[in-house]
Amino acid sequence: MIQSVERALSLLDYLAEHPESKHSLTEMTEFLGIDKSSVFRLLSTLMNRGLVRQDEGRKTYQLGFGIYTLAAALRTQTKITEIVSPFLRRIAVETNENAHLAVRSGMSAVFVDRERASKTISANTNIGDSEELHCTAVGKCLISELDEKSLRILFEDAPMSRYTDNTITDIDSLVAEMAKVRELGYAVDAEEYERNVVCLAAPIINFEGVVEAAIGISGPKDRMEAQMDAFIRTIREAGLELSETLGARRSRPSL
Amino acid sequence: MIQSVERALSLLDYLAEHPESKHSLTEMTEFLGIDKSSVFRLLSTLMNRGLVRQDEGRKTYQLGFGIYTLAAALRTQTKITEIVSPFLRRIAVETNENAHLAVRSGMSAVFVDRERASKTISANTNIGDSEELHCTAVGKCLISELDEKSLRILFEDAPMSRYTDNTITDIDSLVAEMAKVRELGYAVDAEEYERNVVCLAAPIINFEGVVEAAIGISGPKDRMEAQMDAFIRTIREAGLELSETLGARRSRPSL
DNA sequence: CAATGACGTTGTATAAAAAGCAATATGAAG
DNA sequence: CTTCATATTGCTTTTTATACAACGTCATTG
């Protein structure tokens, strides 16, 4: 609505989307399609506020560290539950199954939010409950990024309890399972914790590329299996959208 | 320089600096001291670009997740060495001792940058070198945030080698030493790795409150001890300033 | 080494956009 | 239902951002 502000923000976006990290004034002038002097003053303003910085010889521009100050503030102000709640509601309605949000705490997946489906009889999880990592869909998501060595260390003095015939109880199988989760982008708990209960979950990845939480649904085996493909799509897309909201990207920083 | 952009950025700063996370339009109007309609349009523009968001009933404003997108981009684009290099040069000149920057890689502190002091004879560290965590000042900084349990796990199957009489080789002493580092804000290696060599280092903390790197100086015992207090101040201040640059704060996010 | 050219920076008249005012809408409280 | 507070929109005026042009600055090249 306010032109100069929009242009300034376009410059920030441009700098963010072009990682070459060396951008001249003329280059950005061409991008915006307006006069050099205007771009110069826009960049100067952004520089004064620390959102843009110049290299050594004041020749090229890139994003400035003021961004970090804002990000740090946003981080302290935002509870992940606030972001995820509407998703939980939508998923619970769409799937007619219970939806939940979990974060990792030590060796547990702790449920920090939950939305019941109207027609569901069973209400197996409550906020604050914790479950084990090796036998639940959200749990698997929360440790899915760990490499083999880390997994072995993690479960070294924490035996994987068996709950059903399907429970994964040896570390080799778990390592393989984690690779599968990473590849597919979601995790399944096929009656591995409780008979007749199937869960699906997807990781929520933040802007550092770290799994910060997991979003999942669970329900009785027959209902879950009947709509498996649709549910998988729903939960994967929710995970991806939430990850994008938190600024997740493909690449990782160097050094 | 460009008024409307400056005002828009002031609004972002205001939202960042007031963590109550619920801010009405009139409140921000009073802050900027300009007309409501202008503030409204500024906020609308920022909202369109995702840098500001509104709560449920479109009543209050707070920082938006577009910030994360920018922060993620900045993170991928920025090498920490670029930020720290000028500090290393300044410190090397000021102290006349070698200055270096290290990050953690597994059980090692890896040196990723270094600046030699002109009058120094010994050049003990080179870029790419790695040292152990328990017996060096930078190493101590890099693990200073770990709690007792994590430290014990970390050193479980990695014995702490003894290099001198001063080397810390038992986990209890190391745990105590880490508490000291956290309290003081810097770490000392008093001939713990090499005879006659004393090192000082300070952690560099990013906007998540995580130790991302450590900056340090080292030199022969007599020279170091002669100016200990001044050197400590120099290295601590460098660490604090760099941490601030990376957006470090006091508080940590909840949930 | 001078000349040329590319790019960044600054001054200024003018056109355009943002500010302010006032009117209207929305929603909460009594 | 009325009242009040706050958000939103329309419109005129003034301010400000823009474009143009002139000037610096630096690097390249004949």
Side-chain angles (χ1 to χ4, degrees), chain B residues 2-208:
Chain B
I2 289 184
Q3 194 184 54
S4 51
V5 175
E6 285 194 318
R7 287 176 172 174
L9 301 183
S10 294
L11 286 175
L12 289 180
D13 285 347
Y14 180 83
L15 289 173
E17 284 163 14
H18 296 260
E20 305 84 32
S21 96
K22 302 276 176 185
H23 303 280
S24 69
L25 191 144
T26 26
E27 177 190 341
M28 308 184 75
T29 299
E30 281 163 19
F31 165 69
L32 279 188
I34 60 179
D35 193 84
K36 290 188 287 184
S37 60
S38 301
V39 179
F40 176 75
R41 287 174 178 120
L42 287 168
L43 285 169
S44 299
T45 308
L46 289 168
M47 268 183 52
N48 274 327
R49 298 312 202 90
L51 298 191
V52 161
R53 76 195 138 119
Q54 272 181 312
D55 288 326
E56 350 82 53
R58 4 190 64 226
K59 295 171 75 106
T60 61
Y61 296 86
Q62 55 191 302
L63 292 176
F65 299 112
I67 306 269
Y68 281 149
T69 310
L70 294 175
L74 178 56
R75 199 180 156 84
T76 60
Q77 289 175 25
T78 309
K79 292 196 171 75
I80 189 156
T81 50
E82 289 175 20
I83 314 168
V84 181
S85 284
F87 282 77
L88 292 180
R89 278 192 285 276
R90 206 203 63 214
I91 291 172
V93 170
E94 263 186 32
T95 64
N96 246 316
E97 301 293 349
N98 291 328
H100 38 256
L101 171 72
V103 298
R104 184 173 154 208
S105 173
M107 293 301 291
S108 305
V110 179
F111 291 90
V112 294
D113 200 5
R114 179 214 57 182
E115 186 71 29
R116 284 191 192 165
S118 49
K119 289 163 195 161
T120 310
I121 317 152
S122 62
N124 36 2
T125 54
N126 287 301
I127 294 172
D129 284 357
S130 64
E131 291 187 344
E132 288 181 63
L133 297 170
H134 70 290
C135 57
T136 58
V138 284
K140 288 178 185 175
C141 287
L142 292 172
I143 56 172
S144 63
E145 62 175 355
L146 300 180
D147 60 18
E148 178 165 352
K149 197 189 166 197
S150 305
L151 283 171
R152 287 186 189 279
I153 291 172
L154 191 66
F155 285 96
E156 205 161 37
D157 41 23
M160 291 179 260
S161 315
R162 173 174 294 287
Y163 293 100
T164 73
D165 293 348
N166 294 346
T167 310
I168 293 173
T169 56
D170 69 293
I171 188 70
D172 292 322
S173 306
L174 192 71
V175 168
E177 177 79 0
M178 292 304 98
K180 205 176 134 199
V181 172
R182 282 195 300 272
E183 191 197 327
L184 296 174
Y186 67 89
V188 187
D189 153 19
E191 296 185 286
E192 293 166 41
Y193 176 59
E194 201 179 335
R195 273 279 177 71
N196 195 37
V197 173
V198 169
C199 307
L200 288 172
I204 299 173
I205 297 170
N206 68 18
F207 62 104
E208 317 159 51

Side-chain angles (χ1 to χ4, degrees), chain A residues 72-128:
Chain A
L74 178 55
R75 201 181 155 81
T76 59
Q77 290 176 23
T78 309
K79 292 197 172 74
I80 188 155
T81 49
E82 289 175 20
I83 313 167
V84 181
S85 284
F87 283 77
L88 291 179
R89 278 192 286 275
R90 207 203 60 212
I91 291 172
V93 170
E94 263 185 33
T95 64
N96 247 317
E97 301 293 348
N98 290 328
H100 38 256
L101 170 72
V103 297
R104 184 173 153 209
S105 173
M107 292 301 292
S108 306
V110 178
F111 291 90
V112 293
D113 200 5
R114 180 214 56 183
E115 187 71 29
R116 282 190 193 167
S118 48
K119 290 164 195 162
T120 310
I121 316 149
S122 63
N124 36 2
T125 55
N126 286 302
I127 294 173

Side-chain angles (χ1 to χ4, degrees), chain A residues 80-81 83-85 87-88 91 100-104 112-113 137-138 140-145 181 185-187 201-216 235-249, chain B residues 68:
Chain A
I80 188 155
T81 49
I83 313 167
V84 181
S85 284
F87 283 77
L88 291 179
I91 291 172
H100 38 256
L101 170 72
V103 297
R104 184 173 153 209
V112 293
D113 200 5
V138 285
K140 289 177 185 176
C141 287
L142 293 172
I143 56 172
S144 62
E145 62 174 355
V181 172
Y186 66 90
I204 300 173
I205 298 170
N206 68 16
F207 62 103
E208 317 160 51
V210 170
V211 176
E212 185 160 318
I215 186 170
I235 207 75
R236 268 196 85 224
E237 278 167 11
L240 288 173
E241 195 177 337
L242 286 164
S243 299
E244 246 177 60
T245 299
L246 296 184
R249 291 208 158 199
Chain B
Y68 281 149

Side-chain angles (χ1 to χ4, degrees), chain A residues 12-26:
Chain A
L12 289 179
D13 285 347
Y14 180 83
L15 290 174
E17 285 164 14
H18 296 260
E20 305 84 32
S21 95
K22 301 275 174 184
H23 303 280
S24 69
L25 191 145
T26 26

